[in-house]
Amino acid sequence: MENEVHSWVPLLAFLTPLLAVLPILIFRRETMLRDGSTIAAGIVMLCLVVSMLGDVSAGKIITCHLFDLVPNVPLEFRIDGLGMLFALVASFLWIPTSFYGFGYMRGLKEHSQTRFFAFFAVSLSATIGVAFAGNLLTMYLFYEMLSLATFPLVTHHQDKEARSGGRTYLSHLLGTSVAFALPALIWCYVAGGGADGMNFSDGGFLSADLGPTGGVVLLLLFAFGFSKAGMMPFHSWLPGAMVAPTPVSALLHAVAVVKVGVFCVLRVVTGVFGVDLLGRGEGGLDIGITLAWVAAFTVIVSSLIALTQDNLKRRLAFSTIGQLSYIILGAALATKLSVSGSMLHIAAHAVGKITLFYCAGAIFVATGKKYISQMSGLGKTMPFTFGAFFLGSLSVIGLPPTFGLISKFHLVMGTAEAGEKVLLVVFLVSTILNAAYFLPIVFRAFFPKNDQLPDGETAPKFSWSAVREAPLMCVVPLALTAFLSVFLFFGSGFLRELVATFVDPLFPK
């Protein structure tokens, strides 16, 4: 094709984190050199990804064909606007997350830090592999690689709780991918006539011969098979993974794992089915609405559960489940604005939610507290942390002046474009619920009442005066990502242009 450019840069970007594992292991006793290797790899990977941004923004597709996995189905990288958006988010946020990890792990004197950062690097490599995957089989292999690479991170503490959470994590993710996603891949291979049933296409490669029933079944097999997306009922692995250290939670819930799940669903919707086949128009099967309602149910129920959680990380986890379903809902509605909103929300939620997890970890490092009921009045001695938490909350809720408003506006307008009035109410109700479970945390941190103080203390004698902000390497990353949430509200034009290069060819009319 005229707009395709062959390059080895995607392979280099994928290999960079893997190659970083060697110096991380070699310098395991030299902390500065080990950590420097992590940061150097992050910077190199980001530069490699950014070097391809110009071509992709110009509407070109960057390809890198490696070798055939099965006859005529290669291990192949193919970078378009969707893959580039995800790769930018993952590669950029790896750098502040690494700095944050240094401060967090040292602040708590965690064990096995070298193993932690080694598997952290492998996880980012797998994430980039998914982002750049040129066909279904390549995407599936890197999806599984990510599950295995993050398992040691989830079970890092190696206690009973960590082992239990790790078993749930791996059994859910591997179990659903083998039981649902793998049969869906085989179905596509057969339905697409062999190798053509593996390659992503702007219009999808499936036809209306699939029928409404077959279409719904196949679509749900993919949606539940890629259960990193966190849709109910295959969501329990996500709050269970909160036993991991907070840098892992930030990686799982904002950058890599959950975003890989929704990315795979987006890729299936746009590149396997095609927006026309999902919709109600001529030749469409009207099957997208089924997935949209499953996502809407997840949005509301997860938000209600989040309201009941006193453990801050668990509240953030259930919030993540609902926010991921925003992305799936937008993709399932298959309108130009809803798909654009889904893509933008990958970036908006990543920046906002990683800020909130950074804050949760900083609070734990500084105070040892992990329950919301124990944090009343803490905002006065940790103003940077709770100020950042406020901005991250605004972004996830979808309020100005944060990037979350822009992505949610696209999703809401896309829902209106689809004519789904009840789903518009779902967005309204969920936004109110988002505010209900986030804003009181900030309010009680800065303006506590006597009956909200921890451990039954009373205002005259209770004080957080002995508490200070977490180490600088914890505070600087959360301040950076909080600032980024606001900056992208005013300066997201380049991201919207990148989204347009992917979405416009899907809707040529």
Side-chain angles (χ1 to χ4, degrees):
M1 295 176 63
E2 293 183 3
N3 67 332
E4 286 192 2
V5 177
H6 179 77
S7 172
W8 294 106
V9 175
L11 178 61
L12 294 176
F14 166 75
L15 289 176
T16 297
L18 282 182
L19 295 174
V21 173
L22 184 60
I24 289 172
L25 295 176
I26 290 174
F27 298 127
R28 61 187 179 278
R29 300 186 187 281
E30 301 291 337
T31 304
M32 296 302 294
L33 291 175
R34 182 196 67 196
D35 295 349
S37 300
T38 299
I39 295 301
I43 293 172
V44 170
M45 185 174 74
L46 177 61
C47 290
L48 289 170
V49 171
V50 170
S51 71
M52 297 182 284
L53 181 59
D55 281 341
V56 176
S57 296
K60 296 180 181 179
I61 306 294
I62 300 176
T63 61
C64 181
H65 183 109
L66 300 178
F67 54 85
D68 282 0
L69 294 166
V70 297
N72 299 318
V73 181
L75 183 68
E76 181 180 43
F77 294 135
R78 184 177 183 272
I79 298 91
D80 55 16
L82 176 57
M84 176 56 66
L85 175 74
F86 186 30
L88 280 174
V89 170
S91 58
F92 176 82
L93 289 179
W94 185 26
I95 298 173
T97 302
S98 296
F99 278 110
Y100 181 85
F102 304 153
Y104 182 92
M105 302 297 279
R106 292 178 191 172
L108 293 178
K109 296 180 174 58
E110 287 280 0
H111 70 288
S112 305
Q113 294 185 26
T114 297
R115 183 190 67 196
F116 177 90
F117 288 110
F119 279 105
F120 211 88
V122 176
S123 300
L124 264 295
S125 180
T127 301
I128 293 298
V130 172
F132 289 168
N135 56 54
L136 270 173
L137 186 56
T138 302
M139 187 172 76
Y140 178 79
L141 291 177
F142 288 125
Y143 178 95
E144 299 289 39
M145 175 182 171
L146 181 61
S147 299
L148 296 173
T150 49
F151 175 73
L153 299 175
V154 173
T155 59
H156 177 79
H157 291 309
Q158 297 180 317
D159 55 17
K160 182 178 179 181
E161 188 181 15
R163 289 194 296 270
S164 176
R167 283 194 297 269
T168 301
Y169 177 81
L170 202 58
S171 62
H172 274 56
L173 297 188
L174 287 182
T176 53
S177 64
V178 171
F180 302 137
L182 186 57
L185 259 70
I186 296 170
W187 189 339
C188 286
Y189 185 83
V190 173
D196 289 340
M198 290 283 110
N199 297 322
F200 301 125
S201 167
D202 286 345
F205 57 76
L206 296 175
S207 71
D209 294 340
L210 193 63
T213 302
V216 167
V217 171
L218 183 58
L219 182 61
L220 292 180
L221 282 175
F222 274 121
F224 292 136
F226 294 126
S227 63
K228 289 184 177 75
M231 274 205 313
M232 293 181 173
F234 301 103
H235 68 287
S236 60
W237 67 269
L238 206 151
M242 289 300 95
V243 296
T246 300
V248 178
S249 300
L251 175 78
L252 295 178
H253 291 264
V255 185
V257 176
V258 296
K259 291 304 186 301
V260 160
V262 293
F263 175 88
C264 289
V265 175
L266 256 172
R267 186 63 88 185
V268 165
V269 165
T270 57
V272 175
F273 284 86
V275 293
D276 290 337
L277 190 65
L278 287 180
R280 295 171 176 168
E282 184 179 352
L285 297 177
D286 191 20
I287 57 176
I289 193 63
T290 302
L291 180 60
W293 276 109
V294 175
F297 173 83
T298 303
V299 166
I300 297 299
V301 174
S302 62
S303 298
L304 291 171
I305 296 174
L307 276 171
T308 69
Q309 303 300 306
D310 190 32
N311 184 301
L312 179 54
K313 284 175 65 176
R314 283 185 64 85
R315 183 171 293 196
L316 296 179
F318 280 102
S319 167
T320 296
I321 293 169
Q323 294 290 321
L324 294 174
S325 284
Y326 280 161
I327 298 170
I328 295 176
L329 198 161
L333 291 176
T335 68
K336 188 172 185 178
L337 283 171
S338 69
V339 175
S340 298
S342 292
M343 290 179 63
L344 290 171
H345 205 61
I346 287 177
H349 178 257
V351 174
K353 186 54 66 69
I354 204 168
T355 301
L356 297 178
F357 273 107
Y358 285 167
C359 292
I363 293 166
F364 186 72
V365 169
T367 69
K369 306 296 184 184
K370 58 183 179 180
Y371 293 101
I372 297 165
S373 59
Q374 298 174 325
M375 299 176 188
S376 298
L378 192 53
K380 296 178 182 179
T381 52
M382 299 185 70
F384 290 106
T385 297
F386 278 93
F389 192 95
F390 177 60
L391 291 175
S393 297
L394 291 182
S395 187
V396 175
I397 296 167
L399 295 176
T402 62
F403 188 35
L405 173 67
I406 294 176
S407 62
K408 186 170 280 191
F409 178 79
H410 280 75
L411 286 168
V412 169
M413 294 305 295
T415 306
E417 186 179 17
E420 297 294 338
K421 296 179 181 178
V422 179
L423 291 178
L424 283 173
V425 176
V426 169
F427 274 109
L428 174 62
V429 172
S430 67
T431 299
I432 294 171
L433 291 173
N434 296 162
Y437 61 67
F438 276 138
L439 297 185
I441 300 174
V442 180
F443 189 82
R444 73 186 296 159
F446 287 105
F447 309 104
K449 297 178 181 179
N450 284 357
D451 60 353
Q452 291 180 331
L453 294 176
D455 303 324
E457 299 285 359
T458 58
K461 68 174 182 176
F462 180 76
S463 174
W464 287 107
S465 58
V467 174
R468 297 291 182 269
E469 291 278 5
L472 200 61
M473 282 198 290
C474 286
V475 175
V476 171
L478 63 86
L480 171 65
T481 53
F483 168 78
L484 192 59
S485 290
V486 176
F487 172 78
L488 289 175
F489 175 76
F490 300 100
S492 62
F494 78 101
L495 287 179
R496 295 200 298 273
E497 291 174 5
L498 184 61
V499 167
T501 64
F502 177 78
V503 175
D504 286 351
L506 303 178
F507 301 90
K509 295 180 181 179

